[in-house]
Amino acid sequence: MTFTREQLCEQIIQAGRFLYARGWSPATSSNYSARLCCERVLLTVSGKHKGQLVEADILATDLQAQSHEPSKKPSAEALLHTQLYNWQPTIQAVLHTHSVNATVLSRIEPAGQIEFCDYELQKAFSGINSHEQPLLVPIFANDQDIPRLAKHVQQWLDSHPDCQGYLIRGHGLYTWGASMQDALRQIEAFEFLLECELKVRACMTRD
């Protein structure tokens, strides 16, 4: 299905309201995007409150994350969005959130990845049909040098074409989908799994 710019802006706005209401995108954190056409994406402007977005808070960039609207500044992490659109043409929406669950678990996990196993909700992710099929989520070190961070992410994506999302340590979660609805579903599923994993670890510590 093809959407107009106005329709995609509204999808981003509604996603922001939903994610802010759930506590997953506090204040001006997070950034969201949607594919406008094969060579352009719509991305939230830097520094905007995600629960109060309006159409003017969204701009168009090319697939190298360069703004097509000089009066608007894209998020510093725009390149992490556009690399996903370049990676897989089926991706139509990318969501980056800053939830407590994602932030805490990414800090306390000593390994460079988390493997979710035996959770029924793993089937909420595209391509996963059973709780027995592990969901592997990499964790990348936080880095203010976004091109360098994007290079590390791309190395993982190239070797894991079934990747569903990733964490940045102490920072947050990236996930995506073939539509905004799909991306939002994966955010919800990730948040459930992240919270479950934190609670399991807390129980194991008490024991």
Side-chain angles (χ1 to χ4, degrees):
M1 180 181 294
T2 301
F3 294 102
T4 65
R5 176 180 175 130
E6 290 73 21
Q7 290 172 322
L8 290 173
C9 284
E10 184 61 24
Q11 289 180 18
I12 292 172
I13 289 167
Q14 292 302 321
R17 291 175 181 172
F18 172 76
L19 295 168
Y20 171 73
R22 298 297 292 269
W24 299 337
S25 288
T28 60
S29 71
S30 307
N31 37 74
Y32 322 128
S33 65
R35 191 190 292 271
L36 180 60
C37 62
C38 62
E39 297 179 350
R40 291 191 184 187
V41 302
L42 297 177
L43 183 74
T44 46
V45 172
S46 178
K48 298 296 181 178
H49 191 294
K50 301 309 183 295
Q52 302 170 5
L53 292 172
V54 297
E55 190 168 340
D57 297 330
I58 298 167
L59 80 161
T61 76
D62 60 24
L63 292 185
Q64 288 70 50
Q66 299 301 307
S67 175
H68 283 205
E69 301 176 42
S71 63
K72 298 180 181 180
K73 179 184 177 183
S75 164
E77 297 167 23
L79 186 60
L80 299 177
H81 287 252
T82 57
Q83 79 171 149
L84 290 166
Y85 294 113
N86 281 304
W87 174 54
Q88 287 190 3
T90 55
I91 293 175
Q92 298 296 314
V94 177
L95 298 172
H96 170 46
T97 49
H98 287 231
S99 73
V100 172
N101 293 332
T103 303
V104 172
L105 190 54
S106 69
R107 284 180 62 111
I108 66 173
E109 171 54 58
Q113 60 192 43
I114 299 172
E115 185 173 82
F116 295 103
C117 299
D118 297 325
Y119 289 105
E120 184 68 14
L121 204 66
Q122 289 165 216
K123 295 192 295 184
F125 293 90
S126 299
I128 296 182
N129 302 311
S130 169
H131 67 283
E132 297 178 341
Q133 185 175 345
L135 174 63
L136 188 61
V137 181
I139 304 173
F140 300 102
N142 200 7
D143 194 339
Q144 299 306 304
D145 186 330
I146 300 301
R148 182 169 57 196
L149 175 56
K151 182 178 180 180
H152 293 315
V153 172
Q154 193 62 53
Q155 289 172 347
W156 176 275
L157 296 175
D158 289 342
S159 60
H160 298 81
D162 58 347
C163 184
Q164 304 286 344
Y166 63 84
L167 292 165
I168 301 175
R169 198 174 296 279
H171 185 158
L173 168 70
Y174 271 87
T175 192
W176 46 85
S179 67
M180 183 63 73
Q181 183 178 10
D182 288 339
L184 286 167
R185 183 191 72 246
Q186 297 208 161
I187 284 280
E188 284 196 87
F190 265 125
E191 286 299 331
F192 176 87
L193 295 176
L194 292 166
E195 185 172 358
C196 284
E197 194 68 17
L198 281 170
K199 290 184 176 181
V200 166
R201 295 183 185 204
C203 290
M204 293 173 65
T205 300
R206 286 198 294 269
D207 293 343

